[in-house]
Amino acid sequence: NFEQIKSWLTNCDTGHGSRCGSATKPPDLSPTWRFIDCQTRQLVDLPAGSEYFALSYVWGDTSVDEVDATELQSNKLPPRTAQVIEDSIVVVLKLQVRYLWVDKYCIHQWNTDEKHRQIQNMNSIYEGAIATIVAAAGDDASYGLPGVNGKSRKKQPTAELGCVSLISSLPQLPIVLAETKWATRGWTYQEAILSKRCLFFTDYQVYFNCG
């Protein structure tokens, strides 16, 4: 329900004051930072004043989107990337934004010096994003974002007692995250801590977390 997610972001923007207000201010990024243009699948400089989402996920052992230096130097994504990246592109466009930052493609993987400089400044990326899309389901990038790609989520428990319906509110976010591979990595922990807002895509539902 992308309208529901948009309402969470809007309510945060308008009602939460300075604790969350800076989440939508694009950072002052140098030209060395590249972003995925989700409309064209090109890797581009972020236009001045543009908003973007970031992605936090576990790479795992999947080889679907092995970084090809020659292809990336031509500033375009491969025809097919890992499912989590394809799903994140869908999310960004559904939320009426155009740009997405994914470390595997947006960091210059073949340039050691540039890669080191960018890793040292990851806080700028995650703090400046509208929100970070967190892939908190599955063990690797091939699993994708439940609810986006048709992958079934765990059924919400319900019971009917006469004319009364009892419906579970589903587990709280800390309980869900404790079961995930995503929560076992120091790298992803850093990404969540640095983010002003997170959208956690899990096998149960989407959770929203902000300041």
Side-chain angles (χ1 to χ4, degrees), residues 59-96:
W59 285 28
D61 298 325
T62 180
S63 59
V64 174
D65 58 343
E66 287 297 324
V67 175
D68 184 317
T70 302
E71 190 162 41
L72 290 186
Q73 284 173 326
S74 68
N75 293 322
K76 65 179 181 180
L77 288 184
R80 179 69 184 175
T81 64
Q83 190 65 51
V84 70
I85 297 173
E86 296 297 330
D87 291 349
S88 296
I89 289 172
V90 171
V91 170
V92 171
L93 293 175
K94 289 285 189 180
L95 295 177
Q96 298 180 316

Side-chain angles (χ1 to χ4, degrees), residues 83-84 87 137-155 201-205:
Q83 190 65 51
V84 70
D87 291 349
D139 292 335
D140 58 34
S142 67
Y143 196 83
L145 302 177
V148 177
N149 56 29
K151 187 185 297 294
S152 297
R153 289 181 283 192
K154 294 182 180 179
K155 188 174 181 180
F201 284 77
T202 77
D203 279 321
Y204 293 92
Q205 61 180 334

Side-chain angles (χ1 to χ4, degrees), residues 155-170:
K155 188 174 181 180
Q156 188 169 15
T158 62
E160 303 292 334
L161 300 176
C163 61
V164 177
S165 297
L166 302 178
I167 305 173
S168 168
S169 59
L170 297 179

Side-chain angles (χ1 to χ4, degrees), residues 8 24 27 31 47-48 100 151 210:
W8 293 338
T24 56
L100 171 67
K151 187 185 297 294
C210 67

Side-chain angles (χ1 to χ4, degrees), residues 94-152:
K94 289 285 189 180
L95 295 177
Q96 298 180 316
V97 177
R98 183 164 180 168
Y99 301 100
L100 171 67
W101 190 86
V102 179
D103 55 2
K104 196 164 195 175
Y105 291 105
C106 297
I107 290 178
H108 294 258
Q109 302 289 342
W110 61 87
N111 185 324
T112 303
D113 291 339
E114 189 62 43
K115 180 179 179 180
H116 178 72
R117 281 196 294 271
Q118 291 182 329
I119 288 174
Q120 293 301 309
N121 291 280
M122 296 284 281
N123 61 302
S124 296
I125 284 292
Y126 286 97
E127 289 175 356
I130 296 175
T132 295
I133 297 168
V134 177
D139 292 335
D140 58 34
S142 67
Y143 196 83
L145 302 177
V148 177
N149 56 29
K151 187 185 297 294
S152 297

